[in-house]
Amino acid sequence: MHGKRILLIVGGGIAAFKSLELVRAIRRAGGSVTPVLTAGGAEFVTPLSLAALAEHQVHTELFDVTEEAAMGHIALSRAADLLVVCPATADLLAKMAAGLASDLATTLLLATDTPVLAVPAMNVRMWGHAATLANVATLRARGVTVMEPDEGEMACGEYGPGRLPEIERIMAGIRAALVVETRLAGRHVIVTAGPTHEAIDPVRYLANRSSGKQGFAIAGALAALGARVTLVAGPVELPTPPGCTRIDVVSALDMAAAVERALPADAAVMVAAVGDWRVEAAGSKLKKNGAPPTLALVENPDILATVAVPGPRRPRLVVGFAAETENAVANAVAKRTRKGADWIVANDVSGDVMGGDRNTVHLVGASGVEDWAEMPKAEVARRLALRIADELA
Ligand code: C5P
């Protein structure tokens, strides 16, 4: 973050005090912070503490004669590489979506063409309210990056999504929004992640234990290198990594259609644990009367193999995953040829890999097999993203 200038807008919420910690983290990473405190924010943190940690004057008023004379409010946002709204309250998000300019913070947000990262924190019901959801959707459609809040116990005693994300996650969001690295700028990468749900009837489904963690981490790592990432996600509760366009799907057929629509791409990384079969004729709810029903299964299309078919639409690099409980490498070598993929990332899922945070993988390519040491899924993602960048260079 060296030399990067962050304009930090602090909204009025109980999480505002954490903005102080964020100022320190940004500065430790080499960035500078210009703080803007809303009237609500000033109820929770003092301008003095913000100014002391930022080692920078705090801006609060829109019509402050000295401030306007020294630096107009429009120039204030122009002088930044990124605007970070933290905490972004329901009120601030609503004002941003409506385009209000009723104080310094909202005026800056309206007057800027600098990228904006909003870090929400609010009561769980406020976050889940249709009005907030619509405002967030509007802002995202306009290109504002709105992070997903963390889930957990709230200051008000309720439980659910709405907590300010951990500082480390906010920092990752800032890094991605700043696109500090541009090795994959201008490249489009499709990533599939998570399980699929195959309907048995309207209320039951077949699924698998894929958590989506590795695929989401890969999507985030690619975006952090500047790629345009389309993340086609099966049913998982994970937050969207900063910088990714997410398409939520349920079944393998949905996923295949979403991938098809997302093409063309420079690379496709198929991490999803796609259900191999779907239930034929999943009609009305099965009744428990007499003998147990027999489920007739039909094979799902192989999305990876379809994308890898040679032709003008084939991405330059097609990467598949192979989750195996035995002979991971041998199976991956065979799978690479069978499916027409360029690389297969083999992992042994016999332990607690699925749902866990660490992974041991083997990268199987045309020239052989590389055994990677056990490492966090985030590190696997970063290394793989760098390899993809080398390949597409
Ligand atoms: O054959 P297997 O399911 O082990 O292959 C795994 C790889 O193939 C993964 O990359 C997975 O995303 C992909 N796959 C797919 N469509 C399927 C089944 C698997 O894209 N129907």
Side-chain angles (χ1 to χ4, degrees), residues 192 270-272 274-276 301-304 320-321 335 338-339:
T192 67
M270 314 307 238
V271 198
V274 184
D276 289 317
D302 192 307
I303 306 169
L304 172 62
F321 268 65
K335 195 165 290 181
R338 194 171 67 243
K339 300 209 181 199

Side-chain angles (χ1 to χ4, degrees), residues 78-103:
R78 292 250 168 88
D81 296 301
L82 179 70
L83 268 61
V84 177
V85 188
C86 177
T89 58
D91 180 68
L92 255 175
L93 291 172
K95 284 179 173 151
M96 285 165 75
L100 296 186
S102 46
D103 59 4

Side-chain angles (χ1 to χ4, degrees), residues 14-15 122-126 152-163:
I14 189 74
M122 65 193 74
N123 167 271
V124 53
R125 283 164 218 268
M126 291 168 92
E153 200 175 332
M154 326 225 74
C156 52
E158 287 185 81
Y159 189 94
R163 284 169 59 94

Side-chain angles (χ1 to χ4, degrees), residues 206-253:
L206 298 177
N208 60 66
R209 292 190 197 284
S210 166
S211 65
K213 281 184 184 173
Q214 185 65 81
F216 273 56
I218 290 168
L222 289 162
L225 294 183
R228 179 164 73 83
V229 178
T230 304
L231 171 59
V232 182
V236 290
E237 293 292 318
L238 297 175
T240 308
C244 299
T245 303
R246 175 176 182 167
I247 301 171
D248 283 313
V249 297
V250 177
S251 68
L253 287 181

